[in-house]
């Protein structure tokens, strides 16, 4: 799938901020990557329901302001704002858990377009101590650094079977480890204890790269 998974993980810039929403503390995970394409093409790739499944997941619903969307086997939510071709905001809902996602596009210095993904959530302190931001961040890295990047390079659809098993391969493990370490560094920069942050990163690596017991039978 990739010739250099560690270099691919390095294409993403990661940041963690501590925030607040509805008078409750939040953690904000920010991922940025620049793509060698123009802003209109990148906007289409991340908002067109016919194109999103080529690099991410099948999507259904109404992808318009006020509409409800659903990603197959994953999150759904409401489209809260859309400022084409610069920015959109949606809720990110999985069961009773609601978080907030904003995607911003802007021209990059030297050419191409930079995508900034901002994911804000109320986080259980115990869960944060166990996994840190990597539990969510590595998933976005897989989508942005791999899926979207490969689709934009080739114009083709990323093979779903290859994507589903990628993190179990040696290259996939190397990618996840590099991405999780990057998120641990970002958490430490926001004030987390570095040793605790990197221990959480190791737990995240195990989560993404281990076959669940119920999948082995």
């Amino acid at each position: 799938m990739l010739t250099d998974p560690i270099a691919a993980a390095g294409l993403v810039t990661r940041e963690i901020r501590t925030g607040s929403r509805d008078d409750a503390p939040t953690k904000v995970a920010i991922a940025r990557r620049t793509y060698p394409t123009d802003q209109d093409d990148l906007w289409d790739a991340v908002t067109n329901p016919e194109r999103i499944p080529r690099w991410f997941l099948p999507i259904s619903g109404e992808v318009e302001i006020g509409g409800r969307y659903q990603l197959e086997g994953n999150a759904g939510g409401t489209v809260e704002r859309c400022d084409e071709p610069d920015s959109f905001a949606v809720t990110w809902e999985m069961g009773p858990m609601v978080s907030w996602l904003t995607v911003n596009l802007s021209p990059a210095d030297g050419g191409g377009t930079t995508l900034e993904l901002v994911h804000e959530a109320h986080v259980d302190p115990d869960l944060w101590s166990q996994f840190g931001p990597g539990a969510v961040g590595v998933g976005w890295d897989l989508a942005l650094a791999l899926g979207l990047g490969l689709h934009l390079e080739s114009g083709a659809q990323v093979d779903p079977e290859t994507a589903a098993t990628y993190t179990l391969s040696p290259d996939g493990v190397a990618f996840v480890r590099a991405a999780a370490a990057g998120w641990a560094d970002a958490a430490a920069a926001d004030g987390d204890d570095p040793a605790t942050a990197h221990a959480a990163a190791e737990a995240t690596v195990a989560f993404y790269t281990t076959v669940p017991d119920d999948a082995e039978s």
Side-chain angles (χ1 to χ4, degrees):
M1 191 173 186
L2 287 173
T3 56
D4 191 341
I6 295 177
L11 295 173
V12 179
T13 301
R14 303 166 185 85
E15 181 181 354
I16 295 296
R17 298 176 187 167
T18 298
S20 176
R21 184 184 282 258
D22 301 326
D23 297 322
T26 61
K27 289 292 186 178
V28 185
I30 303 168
R32 301 181 184 90
R33 188 194 154 171
T34 296
Y35 300 90
T37 191
D38 61 54
Q39 189 166 332
D40 287 340
D41 180 50
L42 185 54
W43 177 265
D44 185 69
V46 298
T47 61
N48 186 334
E50 295 183 1
R51 199 168 171 188
I52 292 171
R54 300 180 197 172
W55 62 272
F56 194 35
L57 293 167
I59 185 171
S60 59
E62 300 178 54
V63 186
E64 58 186 37
I65 296 175
R68 296 282 302 179
Y69 72 92
Q70 179 64 53
L71 290 159
E72 186 175 296
N74 203 289
T78 299
V79 180
E80 296 189 316
R81 178 174 56 78
C82 181
D83 300 314
E84 183 179 355
D86 299 318
S87 179
F88 68 85
V90 300
T91 60
W92 190 259
E93 304 172 25
M94 297 189 72
M97 299 175 62
V98 179
S99 54
W100 300 269
L101 191 71
T102 302
V103 172
N104 302 306
L105 306 185
S106 59
D109 294 338
T113 307
T114 297
L115 182 151
E116 177 188 70
L117 180 144
V118 181
H119 193 164
E120 181 177 12
H122 299 297
V123 179
D124 183 290
D126 292 335
L127 191 64
W128 185 268
S129 296
Q130 183 178 3
F131 292 108
V136 169
V138 169
W140 285 122
D141 286 348
L142 289 164
L144 300 178
L146 299 188
L148 182 55
L150 290 169
H151 166 63
L152 290 171
E153 287 175 10
S154 67
Q157 177 166 333
V158 176
D159 178 60
E161 287 191 23
T162 300
T165 59
Y166 177 70
T167 61
L168 305 179
S169 69
D171 279 355
V173 172
F175 177 90
V176 170
R177 189 171 297 280
W183 285 110
D185 289 340
D190 186 54
D192 285 12
D193 174 69
T196 302
H198 281 274
E202 287 301 314
T204 293
V205 172
F207 173 81
Y208 275 97
T209 62
T210 301
V211 179
D213 292 338
D214 58 359
E216 294 179 339
S217 58

